């Protein structure tokens, strides 16, 4: 997760990026230890490009390095230990002219049964983590959706200054929520200094006075700032009803949207706080560490001895061992990567895209204007 990576989209495609990305180690201390905004944007750019690869032809897909299982397999010591065991046994087999007694003994074993059980548990693990990943993606999009709902209601039902204040607070809560994820789970690359402050300066979400009121919260290591900002949104709505801008029904509808946002954000925090059990992950790692060397031994001894030796068969069996490593290590790595979708991996969720997309939509909604009532227009044929 913390190794340098390059978004290696082939030349000639519509999605090209040549920037190297140094993915920093996440540390739950000072915000400055996490990536600055420029680094986050580079990671985000590669994430968006990787999403476009899914529909490419197979010959282009297989040429990629970043965002694939190849990098994980190439750096996993278990893969090389397994291949070394196979190669060592086959070299020994080609140096002798007799058949060792152990060959007959090993022919009675059935490693395939263990492989079947391991495959079942690995596929189950990937299915569970993929479900988590999609749920958390849904929470992120739900947060964006509820903010857009409030922006539409604020534009049409509240005075401009009141509606803009409510939308500002809501967008600030959205961004602060992602920063607060650093307090739990595996941490977050999004910091107050390099993430929240950037968007606050760009979109004027909170005034200096409002920031001072929130100063008692440690946004980098707590979700309480997000909670208070959500409460501010509820207070804005309540005040709008007291001032006569909306009735009690409209107030309740807005409160429901705000609380739905908080529930979605809480869902992100809940999943991040409780990853899959370490017991289960250790169980899979232990099975993999035992199974792959045993599979290499079994395959190497079945490759022929004495007069039955053949270099072609050795190469073919070696490819089979390597493919088994890809299957076991690849599935395990895939499941592990999906545990934390709000990290700094290229496969993680595009948080910057969600935040900037929501801000842009809110600006569009709040700035929307219809033509004058007396202005003539072209009919559309819809009525």
């Amino acid at each position: 997760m913390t190794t340098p990576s390059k978004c290696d989209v082939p030349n000639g495609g519509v999605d090209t990026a040549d920037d190297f990305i140094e993915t920093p180690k996440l540390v739950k201390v000072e915000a400055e230890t996490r990536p600055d905004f420029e680094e986050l944007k580079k990671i985000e750019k590669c994430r968006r490009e990787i999403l476009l690869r899914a529909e490419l032809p197979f010959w282009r897909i297989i040429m990629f390095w970043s965002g694939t299982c190849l990098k994980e397999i190439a750096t996993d010591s278990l893969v090389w230990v397994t291949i070394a065991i196979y190669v060592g046994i086959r070299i020994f087999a080609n140096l002798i002219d007799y058949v060792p007694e152990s060959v007959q003994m090993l022919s009675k074993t059935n490693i395939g049964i263990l492989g079947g059980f391991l495959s079942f548990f690995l596929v189950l693990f990937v299915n569970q983590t993929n479900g988590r990943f999609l749920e958390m993606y849904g929470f992120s999009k739900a947060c964006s959706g509820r903010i857009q709902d409030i922006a539409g209601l604020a534009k049409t039902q509240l005075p401009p200054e009141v509606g803009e204040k409510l939308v500002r607070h809501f967008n600030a809560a959205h961004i602060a929520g992602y920063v607060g994820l650093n307090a739990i789970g595996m941490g977050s690359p999004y910091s107050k200094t390099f993430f929240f402050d950037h968007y606050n300066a760009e979109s004027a979400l909170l005034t200096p006075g409002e920031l001072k009121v929130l100063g008692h919260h440690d946004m980098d290591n707590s979700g309480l700032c997000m909670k208070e900002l959500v409460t501010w949104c509820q207070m804005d709505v309540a005040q709008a009803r007291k001032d006569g801008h909306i009735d009690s029904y409209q107030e309740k509808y807005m409160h429901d949207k705000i609380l739905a946002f908080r529930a979605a954000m809480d869902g992100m925090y809940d999943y991040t706080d409780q990853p899959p059990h370490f017991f289960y992950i250790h169980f899979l790692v232990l099975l993999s560490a035992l199974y792959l060397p045993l599979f290499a031994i079994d395959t190497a001894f079945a490759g022929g001895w004495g007069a039955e030796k053949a270099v072609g068969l050795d190469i073919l069996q070696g490819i089979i061992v390597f493919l088994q490593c890809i299957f076991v290590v690849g599935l395990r790595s895939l499941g592990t990567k999906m545990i934390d979708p709000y990290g700094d991996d290229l496969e993680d969720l595009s948080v910057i895209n969600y935040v900037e997309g929501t801000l842009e939509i809110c600006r569009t909604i709040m700035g929307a204007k219809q033509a004058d009532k007396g202005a003539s227009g072209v009919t559309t044929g819809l009525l």
Side-chain angles (χ1 to χ4, degrees):
M1 289 183 62
T2 59
T3 54
S5 57
K6 182 181 180 182
C7 192
D8 50 354
V9 182
N11 293 329
V14 294
D15 44 319
T16 303
D18 297 320
D19 297 328
F20 280 90
I21 298 172
E22 292 288 337
T23 306
K25 184 178 180 181
L26 300 183
V27 183
K28 283 190 180 180
V29 285
E30 299 297 330
E32 286 71 15
T33 62
R34 287 180 279 168
D36 61 25
F37 190 75
E38 291 303 316
E39 291 177 287
L40 291 173
K41 287 291 286 185
K42 288 180 181 179
I43 296 172
E44 186 78 2
K45 181 181 179 182
C46 280
R47 283 177 181 162
R48 304 309 296 176
E49 290 172 347
I50 287 174
L51 293 178
L52 300 177
R53 299 176 182 176
E55 297 184 1
L56 293 176
F58 84 94
W59 58 269
R60 290 193 62 192
I61 290 177
I62 206 168
M63 292 172 61
F64 288 107
W65 175 259
S66 66
T68 71
C69 66
L70 296 178
K71 183 161 54 175
E72 298 299 319
I73 292 169
T75 57
D76 195 300
S77 58
L78 180 59
V79 173
W80 299 109
V81 169
T82 300
I83 294 175
I85 290 173
Y86 172 81
V87 171
I89 294 175
R90 292 316 303 163
I91 290 175
F92 175 72
N94 282 273
L95 291 176
I96 62 175
D97 295 325
Y98 62 92
V99 180
E101 295 180 2
S102 56
V103 174
Q104 185 65 27
M105 297 172 58
L106 284 172
S107 65
K108 300 177 182 180
T109 61
N110 193 349
I111 303 298
I113 294 178
L114 179 59
F117 280 110
L118 178 58
S119 299
F120 170 78
F121 287 119
L122 284 171
V123 171
L124 180 63
F125 174 57
V126 171
N127 184 60
Q128 289 175 341
T129 55
N130 183 61
R132 281 172 49 92
F133 188 92
L134 294 178
E135 283 279 350
M136 296 171 85
Y137 169 74
F139 288 141
S140 289
K141 298 303 287 186
C143 289
S144 177
R146 300 299 73 76
I147 295 173
Q148 295 174 44
D149 293 342
I150 287 294
L153 294 170
K155 174 64 178 178
T156 56
Q157 299 178 5
L158 296 176
E161 66 278 2
V162 177
E164 289 176 5
K165 180 182 178 182
L166 173 58
V167 174
R168 284 194 298 104
H169 290 166
F170 217 178
N171 276 288
H174 187 208
I175 301 170
Y178 285 116
V179 174
L181 284 171
N182 189 60
I184 56 178
M186 301 179 189
S188 164
Y190 309 103
S191 64
K192 179 181 182 299
T193 302
F194 299 128
F195 192 67
F196 182 88
D197 288 350
H198 171 85
Y199 288 112
N200 187 54
E202 183 180 79
S203 302
L205 301 176
L206 297 178
T207 65
E210 290 170 335
L211 286 171
K212 186 176 181 180
V213 172
L214 294 170
H216 64 285
H217 292 302
D218 182 5
M219 189 186 296
D220 282 307
N221 294 294
S222 171
L224 295 179
C225 187
M226 176 270 294
K227 297 283 190 179
E228 182 163 343
L229 283 167
V230 171
T231 305
W232 283 14
C233 295
Q234 292 185 275
M235 294 167 67
D236 292 338
V237 171
Q239 188 62 47
R241 183 189 61 80
K242 291 178 182 178
D243 294 340
H245 301 310
I246 55 176
D247 58 30
S248 58
Y249 176 80
Q250 292 169 312
E251 178 191 19
K252 181 181 182 302
Y253 191 70
M254 286 188 177
H255 279 307
D256 288 343
K257 295 294 183 180
I258 295 171
L259 293 177
F261 167 87
R262 190 173 71 182
M265 191 65 73
D266 285 344
M268 292 160 49
Y269 276 69
D270 293 342
Y271 272 98
T272 303
D273 187 53
Q274 181 57 61
H277 294 294
F278 174 72
F279 186 97
Y280 188 25
I281 296 175
H282 180 271
F283 172 69
L284 292 176
V285 171
L286 179 61
L287 280 181
S288 302
L290 293 175
Y291 168 71
L292 286 178
L294 286 176
F295 180 80
I297 293 171
D298 184 66
T299 305
F301 271 83
W305 297 79
E308 299 179 353
K309 293 180 295 187
V311 175
L313 181 60
D314 288 345
I315 296 174
L316 178 61
Q317 295 281 63
I319 294 174
I320 293 174
V321 171
F322 181 63
L323 288 176
Q324 192 73 335
C325 291
I326 292 177
F327 178 78
V328 173
V329 176
L331 280 179
R332 191 192 71 207
S333 299
L334 173 61
T336 304
K337 277 186 171 293
M338 290 190 292
I339 290 176
D340 179 28
Y342 300 109
D344 59 351
D345 287 328
L346 297 180
E347 298 79 21
D348 289 335
L349 294 176
S350 304
V351 171
I352 290 180
N353 182 66
Y354 308 152
V355 169
E356 293 185 350
T358 304
L359 288 169
E360 182 63 26
I361 292 171
C362 287
R363 280 191 287 266
T364 301
I365 292 174
M366 300 306 291
K369 293 181 180 179
Q370 288 184 325
D372 295 336
K373 292 182 179 179
S376 59
V378 178
T379 58
T380 62
L382 296 176
L383 298 177

